[in-house]
Amino acid sequence: MRWTRNVRVGAVLAAAVLGLTACGGGDDAAAPAAQSKGGAPIVVASFNFTDSLILAELYANALEAKGYPITRKLNLGSRELIYPALKSGELQFIPEYQGAAITTGFGKEAAKDAEGEHAQLKKLFEADGIGLLDYSPAEDKNTYIVKADLAKEKGLAKISDLSKVDNVVVAGGPECEKRLPCFKGFTDVYKLKATFQTVQEAGPRVEQLRSGKVTVIPVDSVSPLVGDPQFVALEDDLAIVPTENVVPAVNKKVLDERGADFAAAVNAVSKALDTVQLRELNKRVDSDGEKPADVAKDWLKEKSLI
């Protein structure tokens, strides 16, 4: 799951972001499709992390293949910058994560299931002229991992099993300590006797876990570490982390003007993607050094979506 600060800044800040040359894709459209649908380009945006870039490229390329003109504004940053631009229409399409959008974007407590979150987020976005299309089975949410040898020794399969471990140390970014889906959930919901250690960067955090200096760390569910045999991902048996299904948030004017064919093209991408596949695409970019646009096109071809 992706945490950012609450969205409570003015349009001036958003405009400043949009004025920057976007990294990881820029705002240039790809070559026009053979049978262009015409009209103004649809402005597709992304947050500034790998799977958001990949998702934006998945949807953008699928739409371009159907003839829709696309402008990319990628790698833009956090919700506090992006949401005002979505509201104004400067940005028109972003792949969102349902739970984080509700809790961080709107400061509300999220429903406990994907369908409930979808209905909740749809209502929250409605006043800003933003609609939602279908949510995907794919998620990117906080997942907690421990070393495999410790899991085997202590019989750890769920977060609640950490009660079997003496001196539980959770390492995470500074925001983790006071957030319910992170350390606060360990102490307040799971009632674990645990201490927190701030480790800002993901790389050093993993090294602390490998060395045994910390017990458990949060990683994204699309991280290759989740499938690494050196680690065990613990089940969140008391559900402190909301579901984080990917969902396209789209300007309502675009939805109305572009109609059912547009929605169908987007929904087909969402339906075909799952967390395991998104994790593999992430790995190809983060570990293998491939470009988000390239891995997106490969996947779309494999699924016969372009």
Side-chain angles (χ1 to χ4, degrees):
M1 152 292 177
R2 302 295 184 168
W3 284 323
T4 52
R5 292 161 293 184
N6 283 341
V7 184
R8 295 293 181 268
V9 296
V12 172
L13 198 53
V17 171
L18 293 177
L20 296 175
T21 301
C23 302
D27 60 358
D28 54 309
Q35 295 182 339
S36 175
K37 305 264 187 208
I42 300 156
V43 185
V44 175
S46 84
F47 299 113
N48 57 344
F49 49 86
T50 301
D51 51 281
S52 183
L53 289 164
I54 293 168
L55 289 164
E57 288 287 4
L58 286 172
Y59 291 114
N61 278 283
L63 288 168
E64 284 174 332
K66 297 290 186 182
Y68 295 97
I70 299 294
T71 291
R72 291 163 171 78
K73 291 280 188 181
L74 306 185
N75 207 26
L76 289 182
S78 65
R79 289 178 181 86
E80 68 175 357
L81 303 180
I82 288 174
Y83 274 24
L86 279 174
K87 184 175 180 179
S88 72
E90 292 174 79
L91 301 177
Q92 297 170 325
F93 185 123
I94 189 163
E96 250 296 9
Y97 303 85
Q98 291 191 152
I102 294 165
T103 59
T104 303
F106 288 95
K108 306 291 185 182
E109 184 177 347
K112 296 298 184 183
D113 61 278
E115 189 173 341
E117 282 185 351
H118 191 266
Q120 184 181 4
L121 185 58
K122 186 175 181 180
K123 188 173 181 181
L124 289 169
F125 267 137
E126 196 168 21
D128 293 333
I130 300 164
L132 296 183
L133 291 175
D134 294 350
Y135 64 85
S136 171
E139 289 186 82
D140 179 7
K141 62 191 288 185
N142 261 17
T143 300
Y144 294 90
I145 63 171
V146 296
K147 289 178 69 177
D149 55 0
L150 178 66
K152 184 176 180 180
E153 177 190 344
K154 298 289 188 180
L156 308 180
K158 310 184 293 289
I159 294 176
S160 58
D161 290 334
L162 288 169
S163 60
K164 304 172 187 177
V165 178
D166 296 328
N167 303 317
V168 172
V169 181
V170 181
E175 72 283 351
C176 171
E177 186 173 10
K178 299 188 183 300
R179 292 189 185 270
L180 196 64
C182 205
F183 181 70
K184 190 173 174 61
F186 276 53
T187 57
D188 293 11
V189 178
Y190 282 99
K191 308 297 183 183
L192 294 170
K193 293 180 180 178
T195 56
F196 183 76
Q197 184 174 321
T198 299
V199 183
Q200 178 69 58
E201 299 298 329
R205 208 178 297 158
V206 175
E207 290 310 308
Q208 293 277 63
L209 182 64
R210 289 187 198 276
S211 71
K213 292 180 180 178
V214 304
T215 314
V216 57
I217 63 171
V219 297
D220 296 322
S221 58
V222 296
S223 167
L225 294 172
V226 173
D228 190 320
Q230 297 179 79
F231 305 105
V232 168
L234 300 177
E235 178 193 346
D236 178 19
D237 48 317
L238 296 183
I240 60 171
V241 181
T243 58
E244 293 291 357
N245 296 76
V246 171
V247 64
V250 188
N251 181 278
K252 281 188 176 179
K253 184 178 179 182
V254 170
L255 289 175
D256 291 342
E257 288 177 350
R258 296 298 183 168
D261 289 346
F262 172 88
V266 174
N267 288 337
V269 175
S270 298
K271 183 178 180 180
L273 188 64
D274 62 27
T275 302
V276 174
Q277 294 176 80
L278 186 54
R279 186 182 303 135
E280 178 58 31
L281 297 179
N282 237 34
K283 178 180 178 294
R284 287 178 58 182
V285 174
D286 282 345
S287 300
D288 302 341
E290 298 185 57
K291 294 180 180 179
D294 292 340
V295 301
K297 287 175 184 175
D298 285 350
W299 183 88
L300 290 165
K301 289 175 184 175
E302 179 188 321
K303 300 294 180 181
S304 301
L305 292 170
I306 60 173

